Amino acid sequence: MLAFIATLSASFASADVKKSKEIVYVDGDDFSDERHRLDVYAPANVNNADVLIFVHGGEWDTGNKNIYGRIGINFAKRNVVFVAINYRLAPDFNYEDMGFDVARAVKWVADNIESYGGNASRIFLCGHSAG
């Protein structure tokens, strides 16, 4: 049983995962310091890896990218560059604003992910609940 627990713990170790956090993906008049940021979890020393962008849920009015670090590490350990994004939330913003934020995050990833070992032609988008 201890060997099993040790194996599980090792699978969440992040020594071979490069984490780049709080990256700004928007500039402009509508910039939100908290909401227009993303985190990248990349396998160490990787090139041309598939990229998975994750959009958090939260009923459009809550949620945050920061709680998905373990998922990011898990994907990176499987040679996938994982990107978790924040976007503006209701009631201060509407669905159009949220969709626009997600689109801008995807564009940033397409334009910049090769610097993190990702393949800009193999970007996948997923999320849960509102995401």
Side-chain angles (χ1 to χ4, degrees):
M1 183 63 162
L2 283 177
F4 176 72
I5 292 170
T7 301
L8 275 179
S9 296
S11 70
F12 287 112
S14 59
D16 54 351
V17 174
K18 181 179 177 189
K19 296 179 252 181
S20 302
K21 301 185 95 177
E22 301 301 327
I23 299 167
V24 173
Y25 68 84
V26 168
D27 59 1
D29 294 338
D30 65 348
F31 172 71
S32 167
D33 191 45
E34 176 188 5
R35 304 314 306 180
H36 288 138
R37 293 184 181 268
L38 57 82
D39 296 341
V40 177
Y41 298 84
N45 304 315
V46 71
N47 288 309
N48 274 340
D50 288 347
V51 179
L52 181 64
I53 301 172
F54 183 80
V55 183
H56 70 77
E59 299 181 4
W60 303 110
D61 60 1
T62 61
N64 193 300
K65 66 176 176 51
N66 296 334
I67 65 173
Y68 299 98
R70 284 199 163 198
I71 295 172
I73 290 168
N74 206 11
F75 272 100
K77 289 183 129 327
R78 286 157 180 76
N79 290 320
V80 174
V81 176
F82 182 88
V83 181
I85 70 168
N86 272 351
Y87 55 90
R88 294 173 293 173
L89 301 172
D92 297 328
F93 298 94
N94 62 36
Y95 304 126
E96 184 178 306
D97 296 323
M98 297 170 204
F100 186 52
D101 288 351
V102 172
R104 292 190 287 182
V106 170
K107 181 177 180 350
W108 184 94
V109 170
D111 292 345
N112 296 282
I113 204 62
E114 289 178 1
S115 299
Y116 298 86
N119 183 337
S121 66
R122 293 196 45 89
I123 296 173
F124 302 87
L125 183 64
C126 75
H128 76 93
S129 187

